[in-house]
């Protein structure tokens, strides 16, 4: 910056009046509702308006609630499976689409992988409902496969992006060196490529897990009777009397997401 | 690559073909899953939109244009008179209106915030960006629920206003269009801030300084220098907020309380109480087409301005 301006207050070309105030307000507003939500999960009373002292009771009662327990277990089962499959598929696809010459069909592949990000969730949800309901009627099979399949599909792009980013930033010379030293392609992949891309894979898997865990819309339309995940259970409860139990579940889910995202952030920072 | 020479020998061509084959093979499993649970169902839905609605949900396999007809028209069951479906038109209109208002609100709050982040020292920018992205990755339902709690009749905002003596009676905010707009602004704000920041980061402040040197006022600098330079970011952010707002389902359902419907809820209704699958499918495809047009504009804008996007 040139210091040509001589005045009482140094003139900054970067400053715009009021912008900092709005920005700070914006940050506060982004977090305030979440803070209030988490705060009331520790309320000793049943009220969402009056503060009656600190207590863990709502966490305890949520823990004791059978419905919530079932939903939690189902959420985790689906999210783990979906994250696993999506990460494996996305890793393969990333290996097939990066560090290569342009090939025919590449654009189609990109479009298909990114489709879940582009199509509104409600549209995908309804389309899946139509297909799966018909299949359910024909086969009379109502298992978890539908949910896992749907979750895997929309998790693929989320797993794919960090893995591809990692691959594109990777130095090829180590792999070339391994190949020069007569490593077989498999050995080269297993011993060199895979360890190098591991942080990307991990980030992709965690992202996929969080996305699956948080999904409401598609789950709501695909699930069969009795297959409630935590978010769909919550969606159902929001229409009834809301107790701070909901705040407790929300707080736990929030913590999981924030923890995962922070880890991903750290994983990606290490790289540079 | 040094290997890439102008002439392609036969072994070279073979190697290329092998590489392409390997690439396609690696992508196939992912594409199969995506076809089964993403693109395939869209095609099936397109087909279903041309079928006849079953009496108790589902469809009868008879071709019919009724689904598409019913998007905007209403056939009287007694005398077959066609009228414009006011309810649908008003829901379309509300969806578009609320989405535009949400986009504007996001712009008003997001612009100064992105500018604030872009003018921080380089090391701390990542931290501020991180603060923006955290809510974005947390559960949308939970964030909507948080807004619901805050604006309830006995929520924090109303209690605070009453305590301060500004109002005597709580203001009914929940279950109004305002609540939906507020919720969507809250939920989609990061989608505005991130692209805005991306183009502000590249802003050359020498140009800003030059404008000041030429005696431009702050407002003039903002209007004539900064905004034109980051216009691609503004367009990108606006489209990125507009698209999910238009297709929003959870936020209007929770904050609109079942009577202030948006498109997403109207679609859901056809698969629940409405029991008109072809109409629901036709509505979904209409929404999809609008979103695709918006996305096309987004990609055009990105290509023209050279924004990097994955």
């Amino acid at each position: 910056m040139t210091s040509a301006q001589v005045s009482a207050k140094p003139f900054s070309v970067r400053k715009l009046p009021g912008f900092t105030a709005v920005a700070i307000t914006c940050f506060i507003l982004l977090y305030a509702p979440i803070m209030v939500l988490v705060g009331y999960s520790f309320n000793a009373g049943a009220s969402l308006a009056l503060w009656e002292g600190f207590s863990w009771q709502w966490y305890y009662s949520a823990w004791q609630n059978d419905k919530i327990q079932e939903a939690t277990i189902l959420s985790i089962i689906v999210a783990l499976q979906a994250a696993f499959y999506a990460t494996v598929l996305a890793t393969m696809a990333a290996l097939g689409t990066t560090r290569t010459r342009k090939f025919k069909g590449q654009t189609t592949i990109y479009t298909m992988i990114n489709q879940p990000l582009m199509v509104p969730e409600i549209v995908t949800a309804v389309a899946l409902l139509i297909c799966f309901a018909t299949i359910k009627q024909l086969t009379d099979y109502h298992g978890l496969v539908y949910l896992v399949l749907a979750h895997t599909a929309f998790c693929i792009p989320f797993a794919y992006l960090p893995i591809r980013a990692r691959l594109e930033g990777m130095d090829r010379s180590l792999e070339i060196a391994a190949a020069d030293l007569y490593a077989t392609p498999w050995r080269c992949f297993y011993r060199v490529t895979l360890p190098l891309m591991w942080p990307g894979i991990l980030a992709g898997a965690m992202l996929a897990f969080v996305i699956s865990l948080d999904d409401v819309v598609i789950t709501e339309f695909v699930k069969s009777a009795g297959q409630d995940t935590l978010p769909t259970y919550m969606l159902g409860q929001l229409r009834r009397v809301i107790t701070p139990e909901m705040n407790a579940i929300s707080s736990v889910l929030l913590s999981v997401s924030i923890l995962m995202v922070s880890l991903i952030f750290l994983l990606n920072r290490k790289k540079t | 690559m040094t290997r890439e020479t102008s002439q392609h020998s036969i072994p070279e061509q073979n190697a290329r073909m092998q590489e392409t084959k390997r690439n396609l093979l690696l992508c196939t499993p992912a594409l199969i899953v995506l076809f089964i649970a993403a693109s395939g169902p869209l095609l099936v839905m397109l087909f279903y939109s041309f079928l006849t609605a079953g009496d108790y949900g589902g469809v009868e396999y008879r071709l019919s244009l009724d689904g598409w007809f019913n998007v905007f028209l209403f056939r009287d069951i007694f005398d077959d008179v066609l009228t414009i479906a006011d309810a649908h038109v008003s829901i379309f209109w509300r969806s578009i209106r609320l989405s535009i208002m949400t986009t504007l609100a996001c712009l008003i709050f997001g612009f100064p915030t992105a500018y604030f982040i872009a003018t921080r020292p380089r090391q701390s920018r990542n931290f501020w960006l991180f603060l923006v992205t955290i809510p974005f990755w947390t559960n949308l339902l939970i964030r909507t629920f948080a807004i619901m709690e805050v604006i309830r009749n006995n929520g924090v905002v109303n209690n605070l206003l009453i305590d301060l003596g500004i109002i005597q009676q709580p203001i009914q905010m929940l279950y109004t269009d305002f609540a939906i707009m507020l919720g969507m602004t809250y939920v989609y704000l990061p989608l505005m801030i991130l692209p805005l920041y991306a183009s502000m980061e590249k802003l050359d402040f020498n140009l800003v300084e030059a404008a000041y040197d030429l005696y431009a006022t702050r407002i003039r600098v903002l209007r004539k220098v900064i905004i034109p330079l980051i216009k691609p970011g503004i367009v990108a952010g606006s489209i990125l907020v507009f698209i999910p707002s238009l297709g929003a389902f959870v936020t209007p359902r929770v904050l609109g309380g079942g009577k202030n419907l948006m498109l997403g809820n109207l679609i859901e209704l056809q698969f629940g109480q409405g029991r008109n699958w072809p109409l629901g499918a036709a509505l979904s495809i209409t929404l999809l087409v609008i979103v695709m047009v918006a996305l096309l504009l987004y990609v055009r804008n990105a290509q023209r301005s050279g924004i990097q996007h994955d």
Side-chain angles (χ1 to χ4, degrees):
Chain A
M1 293 299 107
T2 50
S3 49
Q5 285 91 0
V6 184
S7 58
K9 223 163 136 197
F11 184 89
S12 162
V13 287
R14 289 167 173 261
K15 263 231 167 86
L16 282 168
F19 271 37
T20 307
V22 177
I24 299 291
T25 317
C26 197
F27 278 110
I28 294 172
L29 289 181
L30 265 182
Y31 282 90
I34 301 179
M35 299 288 187
V36 171
L37 179 88
V38 174
Y40 275 105
S41 73
F42 295 110
N43 195 1
S47 158
L48 291 166
L50 285 170
W51 179 254
E52 294 172 36
F54 180 91
S55 120
W56 288 97
Q57 65 156 320
W58 297 110
Y59 288 87
Y60 186 71
S61 78
W63 178 253
Q64 296 280 305
N65 186 328
D66 287 342
K67 282 247 175 71
I68 296 177
Q69 265 186 24
E70 274 168 39
T72 310
I73 293 168
L74 191 77
S75 281
I76 293 173
I77 290 175
V78 171
L80 279 179
Q81 289 192 56
F84 176 76
Y85 296 133
T87 311
V88 172
L89 297 175
T91 306
M92 290 171 68
L95 283 166
T97 48
T98 45
R99 314 192 301 174
T100 168
R101 295 190 199 88
K102 275 222 173 308
F103 59 93
K104 243 188 174 176
Q106 210 168 3
T107 320
T108 318
I109 293 175
Y110 281 145
T111 315
M112 273 188 80
I113 290 177
N114 286 321
Q115 191 209 312
L117 301 179
M118 300 186 294
V119 176
E121 245 196 315
I122 182 76
V123 174
T124 311
V126 163
L128 285 171
L129 170 84
I130 289 176
C131 286
F132 289 168
T134 313
I135 297 174
K136 279 176 191 172
Q137 215 171 30
L138 289 175
T139 60
D140 208 32
Y141 171 75
H142 295 267
L144 270 186
V145 170
Y146 304 107
L147 269 184
V148 173
L149 194 64
H151 278 231
T152 304
F154 71 71
C155 284
I156 286 176
F158 289 97
Y160 174 78
L161 288 178
I163 299 173
R164 193 182 82 168
R166 177 81 195 172
L167 267 172
E168 274 176 346
M170 250 162 62
D171 188 0
R172 256 220 133 150
S173 52
L174 281 172
E175 286 158 89
I176 294 172
D180 283 349
L181 294 168
Y182 298 104
T184 59
W186 264 113
R187 208 175 152 77
C188 174
F189 172 75
Y190 192 71
R191 301 300 287 259
V192 182
T193 316
L194 198 61
L196 279 175
M197 62 191 289
W198 202 237
I201 295 178
L202 213 58
M206 288 196 291
L207 208 53
F209 182 80
V210 170
I211 294 294
S212 164
L213 198 67
D214 286 348
D215 179 72
V216 198
V217 183
I218 289 178
T219 314
E220 175 77 9
F221 283 82
V222 169
K223 72 180 169 103
S224 307
Q227 290 177 339
D228 261 322
T229 61
L230 269 183
T232 59
Y233 171 78
M234 286 179 62
L235 187 66
Q237 287 296 309
L238 285 183
R239 289 217 162 150
R240 308 195 176 92
V241 182
I242 302 169
T243 64
E245 251 179 37
M246 297 287 286
N247 297 49
I249 315 172
S250 304
S251 306
V252 173
L253 274 177
L254 279 175
S255 321
V256 172
S257 303
I258 292 174
L259 189 77
M260 292 274 185
V261 176
S262 307
L263 279 174
I264 295 167
F265 184 73
L266 288 177
L267 267 178
N268 282 332
R269 214 167 56 162
K270 244 185 183 170
K271 191 179 59 185
T272 45
Chain B
M1 285 271 148
T2 44
R3 291 204 323 241
E4 205 133 26
T5 47
S6 52
Q7 45 168 353
H8 301 305
S9 56
I10 288 171
E12 174 106 3
Q13 272 184 1
N14 274 343
R16 268 183 178 228
M17 264 173 59
Q18 283 245 294
E19 198 181 294
T20 305
K21 221 168 118 185
R22 185 198 71 128
N23 289 338
L24 290 177
L25 221 65
L26 278 168
C27 293
T28 308
L31 296 185
I32 290 175
V33 169
L34 284 165
F35 184 77
I36 296 174
S39 18
L42 289 184
L43 296 176
V44 175
M45 184 167 72
L46 183 64
F47 173 62
Y48 267 55
S49 72
F50 291 105
L51 295 178
T52 312
D55 289 336
Y56 304 101
V59 285
E60 281 167 35
Y61 292 90
R62 265 188 296 123
L63 290 182
S64 145
L65 281 173
D66 276 0
W68 286 98
F69 234 56
N70 286 335
V71 172
F72 286 117
L73 295 172
F74 178 77
R75 192 193 298 272
D76 198 292
I77 34 173
F78 297 113
D79 52 9
D80 270 7
V81 173
L82 280 176
T83 45
I84 288 175
D86 291 337
H88 292 185
V89 173
S90 81
I91 288 171
F92 264 89
W93 171 232
R94 168 185 287 122
S95 299
I96 291 170
R97 197 185 60 213
L98 285 178
S99 302
I100 290 174
M101 280 160 68
T102 302
T103 310
L104 286 178
C106 283
L107 198 58
I108 290 169
F109 280 100
F111 191 93
T113 310
Y115 190 84
F116 171 81
I117 302 174
T119 51
R120 289 306 93 191
R122 196 163 282 279
Q123 315 88 278
S124 62
R125 278 183 214 167
N126 268 345
F127 165 75
W128 292 105
L129 277 181
F130 184 57
L131 277 188
V132 173
T133 28
I134 279 196
F136 180 64
W137 289 116
T138 57
N139 197 320
L140 185 132
L141 176 66
I142 294 177
R143 281 181 289 154
T144 309
F145 175 46
I147 288 287
M148 182 184 181
E149 284 212 337
V150 171
I151 63 171
R152 288 148 59 102
N153 280 354
N154 56 358
V156 177
V157 171
N158 269 320
N159 281 356
L160 200 70
L161 289 177
I162 291 173
D163 286 347
L164 289 174
I166 297 171
I167 50 171
Q168 260 71 52
Q169 292 293 314
I171 308 171
Q172 175 70 40
M173 285 182 281
L174 195 56
Y175 308 138
T176 61
D177 279 357
F178 169 76
I180 300 176
M181 197 199 87
L182 182 74
M184 293 201 301
T185 307
Y186 178 62
V187 167
Y188 299 129
L189 186 59
L191 290 173
M192 178 64 88
I193 296 179
L194 296 176
L196 275 180
Y197 166 78
S199 50
M200 282 180 190
E201 198 200 10
K202 285 181 290 188
L203 187 66
D204 183 358
F205 276 96
N206 289 326
L207 294 172
V208 178
E209 196 174 348
Y212 280 128
D213 284 348
L214 295 168
Y215 298 103
T217 58
R218 298 231 189 231
I219 299 280
R220 225 177 139 73
V221 168
L222 185 65
R223 272 187 40 212
K224 298 281 175 181
V225 182
I226 298 178
I227 290 182
L229 281 174
I230 59 164
K231 205 173 148 213
I234 297 176
V235 175
S238 301
I239 296 174
L240 282 186
V241 171
F242 183 78
I243 289 175
S245 304
L246 198 64
F249 167 72
V250 172
T251 312
R253 173 159 159 181
V254 173
L255 297 176
K259 58 179 207 292
N260 297 15
L261 298 186
M262 280 181 65
L263 253 176
N265 312 99
L266 180 64
I267 292 171
E268 184 213 9
L269 217 58
Q270 307 315 319
F271 294 89
Q273 304 150 2
R275 288 195 177 138
N276 194 338
W277 284 25
L279 171 59
L283 284 169
S284 300
I285 290 162
T286 312
L287 172 62
L288 186 62
V289 169
I290 301 175
V291 166
M292 286 299 139
V293 170
L295 268 175
L296 219 63
L297 292 176
Y298 173 78
V299 173
R300 274 251 189 94
N301 166 60
Q303 277 169 350
R304 218 173 339 149
S305 56
I307 295 179
Q308 288 278 318
H309 66 102
D310 301 290

